[in-house]
Amino acid sequence: MVNALYDFGQFQYSCGNYGAAAELLYQFRVLSTDNDRVAAGTWGKLACEILTTNWDSAMEELQKVKESIDTKMFNNPREQLQQRTWLIHWALFPLFNYEGGRDQILELFFSPSYINTIQTSCPWVLRYLTAAVIGGRGRVKNTGMHQKQLKDIVRIVKQEAYEYSDPVTDFVRALYIDFDFEEAQRQLPRAEEVLRSDFFLAAAGDAFVDAARHLFFESYCKIHARIDLRRLSAQLGLNVDEGEKWIVNLIRDTRLDAKIDFKEGTVVMNHPNSSVYQQVIERTKGGFFRTQVLSAAVAR
């Protein structure tokens, strides 16, 4: 009779009674000793929680499915790759609909086995991963973690450029790999258009564009001492008045060492020059640390 719970849960799911199906599959999972059916029931319960937008439970089921995939002994490695591919795609629902699960899902995507799955089996997920990292710029509490994720995205976009590209990844490539600001300027409105028409990213368009402008401005400021307001506003896709207000707010919020010369219509950046001696000291510190790590490794 235990298996009847599974069949009845599947029937309820087929009828669209997702809440009832989730409860039946939960009861089946508690009672059953059939590992294959328990795994299938966990997938079914995950689907039910997503369809009922019960995101807290969906995150719990997502973790259980991940553990099941990671611990199960697969006869064929391709089957494990396929299941990880499915999980990545299903995880897009809570990633873009539930703020509380964002960090956990990004951590999952950036783990070695799952980033390899994305690169091997579904490189198009790079669009969503890139949009999630850039669009979440203003919401993350751990700035160091965000910088690491951004570096990883840049590296992966560069590696997979031959396999997959779209305006979202092309913006990253132009800004961080080619350092082509004009190309990045062209790609940003295209990326916004793509986001507006994407099922998962439609609501994330504004956050992505605002964060992308911040990243563009930061990169632009690193290599310029004096920036023309009109030109920068045009590159950001804003008129002069909007661009001026946006840049003033950005300088105030991020506390950049910069000032606006309204008479000349320029932004003047103050780039402190580090002395040669300071650079030597910093590099020596890094070399000393690496030597210690190497010595410890050899001693083992």
Side-chain angles (χ1 to χ4, degrees), residues 29-30 36 54 71 104 134 136 161 167 221 229 249-250 285-286 289 296:
R29 198 168 58 187
V30 169
D36 290 337
N54 189 357
T71 56
Q104 185 179 340
I134 292 178
C221 289
L229 269 173
N249 291 333
L250 178 63
K285 284 180 181 178
F289 174 74

Side-chain angles (χ1 to χ4, degrees), residues 7-210:
D7 295 334
F8 191 41
Q10 197 171 38
F11 173 75
Q12 292 289 351
Y13 179 87
S14 301
C15 294
N17 299 326
Y18 304 120
E23 181 60 28
L24 287 165
L25 290 173
Y26 170 76
Q27 299 293 344
F28 165 77
R29 198 168 58 187
V30 169
L31 297 171
S32 178
T33 56
D34 185 335
N35 292 332
D36 290 337
R37 280 210 162 190
V38 166
T42 304
W43 277 104
K45 192 168 186 302
L46 172 61
C48 292
E49 303 299 359
I50 289 173
L51 288 164
T52 55
T53 65
N54 189 357
W55 300 120
D56 286 323
S57 295
M59 291 302 300
E60 292 177 11
E61 298 305 319
L62 198 71
Q63 186 62 30
K64 287 176 181 176
V65 171
K66 175 187 177 295
E67 291 172 358
S68 173
I69 295 172
D70 292 344
T71 56
K72 183 179 177 181
M73 296 296 292
F74 288 89
N75 295 325
N76 186 348
R78 290 183 62 183
E79 185 182 350
Q80 187 178 44
L81 178 68
Q82 184 183 51
Q83 293 216 7
R84 282 178 173 156
T85 304
W86 291 343
L87 186 61
I88 287 167
H89 285 80
W90 288 33
L92 294 177
F93 288 95
L95 176 60
F96 293 105
N97 290 283
Y98 178 53
E99 185 63 29
R102 182 183 170 281
D103 292 338
Q104 185 179 340
I105 294 172
L106 285 179
E107 185 180 347
L108 170 69
F109 281 9
F110 278 108
S111 63
S113 55
Y114 281 84
I115 202 67
N116 289 339
T117 300
I118 291 172
Q119 292 180 271
T120 304
S121 182
C122 49
W124 51 84
V125 174
L126 282 177
R127 170 192 291 184
Y128 303 102
L129 193 53
T130 303
V133 171
I134 292 178
R137 179 182 182 277
R139 293 174 289 182
V140 293
K141 297 178 181 178
N142 189 338
T143 307
M145 179 61 72
H146 180 264
Q147 289 298 323
K148 182 181 182 304
Q149 290 176 351
L150 189 59
K151 287 181 180 178
D152 287 341
I153 279 293
V154 172
R155 173 179 57 81
I156 297 162
V157 165
K158 183 178 181 180
Q159 289 175 351
E160 299 301 316
Y162 75 96
E163 183 74 25
Y164 176 81
S165 66
D166 65 17
V168 176
T169 60
D170 284 342
F171 171 78
V172 172
R173 177 185 51 76
L175 187 61
Y176 288 106
I177 299 170
D178 300 335
F179 301 102
D180 186 340
F181 293 105
E182 292 183 359
E183 178 64 17
Q185 175 191 352
R186 285 192 292 271
Q187 292 298 339
L188 185 55
R190 294 174 186 172
E192 183 178 6
E193 185 178 348
V194 166
L195 265 62
R196 302 288 185 202
S197 60
D198 190 283
F199 174 81
F200 289 106
L201 301 174
D206 291 336
F208 176 86
V209 171
D210 187 58

Side-chain angles (χ1 to χ4, degrees), residues 171-289:
F171 171 78
V172 172
R173 177 185 51 76
L175 187 61
Y176 288 106
I177 299 170
D178 300 335
F179 301 102
D180 186 340
F181 293 105
E182 292 183 359
E183 178 64 17
Q185 175 191 352
R186 285 192 292 271
Q187 292 298 339
L188 185 55
R190 294 174 186 172
E192 183 178 6
E193 185 178 348
V194 166
L195 265 62
R196 302 288 185 202
S197 60
D198 190 283
F199 174 81
F200 289 106
L201 301 174
D206 291 336
F208 176 86
V209 171
D210 187 58
R213 285 172 177 162
H214 277 75
L215 296 173
F216 184 97
F217 184 73
E218 288 175 1
S219 299
Y220 199 82
C221 289
K222 287 178 182 177
I223 60 173
H224 292 82
R226 185 178 289 270
I227 303 166
D228 183 80
L229 269 173
R230 288 180 177 276
R231 183 178 179 184
L232 182 59
S233 298
Q235 288 177 318
L236 294 171
L238 303 169
N239 61 45
V240 178
D241 291 337
E242 289 176 339
E244 186 178 296
K245 290 177 182 177
W246 189 86
I247 293 167
V248 168
N249 291 333
L250 178 63
I251 291 173
R252 184 187 65 238
D253 295 341
T254 58
R255 298 181 181 178
L256 285 171
D257 192 358
K259 61 181 180 179
I260 297 180
D261 187 338
F262 291 101
K263 185 177 179 181
E264 297 290 332
T266 58
V267 180
V268 181
M269 303 300 302
N270 180 23
H271 296 296
N273 295 320
S274 58
S275 67
V276 175
Y277 303 106
Q278 187 63 34
Q279 292 180 35
V280 170
I281 290 171
E282 292 299 326
R283 297 204 173 193
T284 303
K285 284 180 181 178
F288 179 69
F289 174 74

